Amino acid sequence: MNVVSHEDQPRETWRAGVETRMHVAAANGAAGLCIFEQWVGPGSGAPTHAHMVEEVLTVIAGEAEMWVDDRRAVLAAGQSLIIPAHSKHGFRNVASGTLHIHAVLASPIFEASFDGAAEPVRRWTA
């Protein structure tokens, strides 16, 4: 049995204005998904990118403008966005406070292809 204490997982600065705490991934024994949280400052977020697998983003606090391909919506606390595999998507904090996001990715390794990047980004591998 593999018990993970979320508070024991460090927060990592992912980019300016974005802190990430990985809860579950290949690095701590997951075989089929990763689960993480992000705390995002006003105006910051995730630039357009894609994953090979489905992702679900849930707003815990704050408001986020989210997009999938050419569709956009503003989500608030208690709302989730289901992002199909291979879809270009991203989000940004559109409120004055901290945006708190919970994310589930259908892969134990976070891998994303960002627009304009030569190589995919891989994190939390075994």
Side-chain angles (χ1 to χ4, degrees):
M1 182 162 51
N2 188 0
V3 177
V4 177
S5 296
H6 295 184
E7 290 301 317
D8 291 344
Q9 305 302 314
R11 284 194 190 190
E12 171 184 332
T13 300
W14 215 18
R15 66 184 61 85
V18 180
E19 287 189 333
T20 302
R21 177 184 285 152
M22 183 59 70
H23 294 301
V24 176
N28 60 5
L33 52 81
C34 63
I35 300 171
F36 58 98
E37 289 181 86
Q38 291 188 313
W39 293 265
V40 182
S44 295
T48 301
H49 63 285
H51 306 288
M52 299 291 289
V53 298
E54 185 176 65
E55 182 177 27
V56 176
L57 297 176
T58 300
V59 177
I60 303 299
E63 288 187 334
E65 178 185 28
M66 296 185 177
W67 55 90
V68 176
D69 298 323
D70 61 351
R71 298 165 310 217
R72 292 182 177 266
V74 174
L75 280 72
Q79 293 183 305
S80 296
L81 179 66
I82 300 168
I83 303 161
H86 308 285
S87 296
K88 290 187 175 192
H89 64 283
F91 67 87
R92 71 180 180 89
N93 181 350
V94 294
S96 59
T98 298
L99 169 65
H100 185 189
I101 296 273
H102 181 267
V104 177
L105 194 65
S107 170
I109 297 169
F110 179 93
E111 185 172 320
S113 298
F114 289 87
D115 280 358
E119 297 289 323
V121 172
R122 295 189 75 183
R123 296 178 182 258
W124 301 290
T125 61

